[in-house]
Amino acid sequence: MITLPGPFTPGEVKGLMEVAGVDVVVVDVGGLGPPKLAHVDAIARMQLAAKRAGGRVRLRAPDPALTALLGLVGLVLEVEGEPEEGEPAGGVEVEVETG
């Protein structure tokens, strides 16, 4: 996993993933302010670049309005701190009975 601290382009995301050999790029979107279509476009391009490099994008601190807007256009991305698909939610213990 790699976390990018500042503005970057989709090409830089793909290049970093290939060079660093990571499969997850965490994008801190907490300081974006009110979501705009330009944000959606940039996030979609980063996700596409990451997929082409064999990875994925995870969002950190997204505004609920941004998450809703992304969902509205069909982009469902992982959010840091939420359990990944197939994993139990935090604080949930899973017991397996044998026999």
Side-chain angles (χ1 to χ4, degrees), residues 19-65:
V19 170
V22 296
D23 62 347
V24 177
V25 174
V26 178
V27 180
D28 188 346
V29 293
L32 289 179
K36 299 177 182 166
L37 289 178
H39 300 146
V40 172
D41 180 58
I43 291 168
R45 291 176 186 271
M46 284 183 269
Q47 177 71 351
L48 180 60
K51 281 189 175 189
R52 287 182 177 164
R56 63 190 189 276
V57 170
R58 184 179 300 152
L59 301 179
R60 175 182 291 159
D63 183 287

Side-chain angles (χ1 to χ4, degrees), residues 81-94:
E82 290 183 357
E84 292 186 32
E85 191 172 317
E87 291 183 3
V92 175
E93 294 185 26
V94 177

Side-chain angles (χ1 to χ4, degrees), residues 1-34:
M1 176 171 56
I2 187 169
T3 303
L4 300 175
F8 45 88
T9 67
E12 290 170 329
V13 168
K14 185 177 182 218
L16 281 169
M17 291 182 79
E18 291 172 348
V19 170
V22 296
D23 62 347
V24 177
V25 174
V26 178
V27 180
D28 188 346
V29 293
L32 289 179

